[in-house]
Amino acid sequence: MERFTAVTGTAYPLGRANVDTDIIIPAHWLKTVGRAGLGQGAFETIRAEPGNLFDDPAYAGSPVLIAGENYGCGSSREHAAWAMADLGIRAVIAPSFADIHAGNALRNGILPVVLAKEQVERLLEVAREGTTITVDLETQTVTTPYQDRFAFTVDPFRRDCLLNGLDDIGLTLADGDAIAAHEAREPAWVGGAAAGR
């Protein structure tokens, strides 16, 4: 997983509340177990709307998405996080998130940032202007060139994982020496029984 320290760029000013995982990635895209290419289906129903922001060149490649309350509600599909990552989104700012989706996002290198509704509304204004926004995980702040500075909190364990680029597999591999030492001490299991017993 790519490390996350800070990201600066334009932001998709989505602003909608109750964006569920079926809106983030519709069910007919879930036939794959691979992550690549899911960005093509991300926000497909919104992209069907004339003048949608996801196909607006002004926001192309934006690493930040700003949403309304209850972002990521609905099913627990991890494909939603995969689709956002494939689209290039590294951080989502909203007043609240569905718990399972927030967890999936964190495990896939995407930072969910919870801010007060009025702070989110201010960032939506800035994003609609095309002005850049910085999400800094090290200082746990969201800033703009207009001197806006909003602090956020994140679980310390998940913060450490993001800062060091550690997903669940990376966390396991970090203990590789201890695992190997344990395996060396234990007898090999053959046919359901320990060898030599």
Side-chain angles (χ1 to χ4, degrees):
M1 183 170 76
E2 186 180 346
R3 291 180 182 211
F4 188 116
T5 52
V7 63
T8 299
T10 54
Y12 293 109
L14 181 60
R16 299 183 189 190
N18 302 312
V19 172
D20 65 30
T21 52
D22 196 50
I23 292 173
I24 298 170
I25 187 72
H28 65 268
W29 286 87
L30 307 185
K31 298 173 185 170
T32 179
V33 292
R35 302 174 188 209
L38 286 175
Q40 298 171 45
F43 304 99
E44 184 177 71
T45 56
I46 295 174
R47 284 177 151 162
E49 300 169 3
N52 78 85
L53 62 94
F54 290 103
D55 292 325
D56 185 334
Y59 301 110
S62 292
V64 179
L65 183 142
I66 305 172
E69 295 179 35
N70 199 27
Y71 183 80
C73 57
S75 74
S76 61
R77 63 187 72 165
E78 191 171 12
H79 291 70
W82 296 352
M84 290 191 309
D86 196 53
L87 194 61
I89 295 170
R90 298 296 317 275
V92 179
I93 302 169
S96 61
F97 290 84
D99 288 343
I100 293 174
H101 179 70
N104 284 340
L106 285 163
R107 283 188 292 279
N108 285 279
I110 301 169
L111 176 63
V113 176
V114 176
L115 292 178
K117 190 172 182 179
E118 59 273 13
Q119 294 173 333
V120 172
E121 288 171 358
R122 169 61 183 151
L123 293 172
L124 283 167
E125 290 175 15
V126 172
R128 288 182 183 121
E129 295 175 0
T131 303
T132 61
I133 292 171
T134 298
V135 179
D136 190 322
L137 181 58
E138 289 185 311
T139 62
Q140 294 182 211
T141 57
V142 177
T143 58
T144 74
Y146 301 120
Q147 305 308 309
D148 298 296
R149 184 179 182 86
F150 305 128
F152 64 89
T153 60
V154 63
D155 175 79
F157 171 73
R158 288 297 171 195
R159 178 178 181 270
D160 186 62
C161 288
L162 286 172
L163 287 171
N164 292 292
L166 296 172
D167 58 12
D168 291 345
I169 294 171
L171 285 167
T172 302
L173 292 176
D175 288 327
D177 291 342
I179 293 168
H182 172 78
E183 291 293 321
R185 288 191 306 271
E186 292 296 313
W189 288 85
V190 180
R197 287 190 180 174

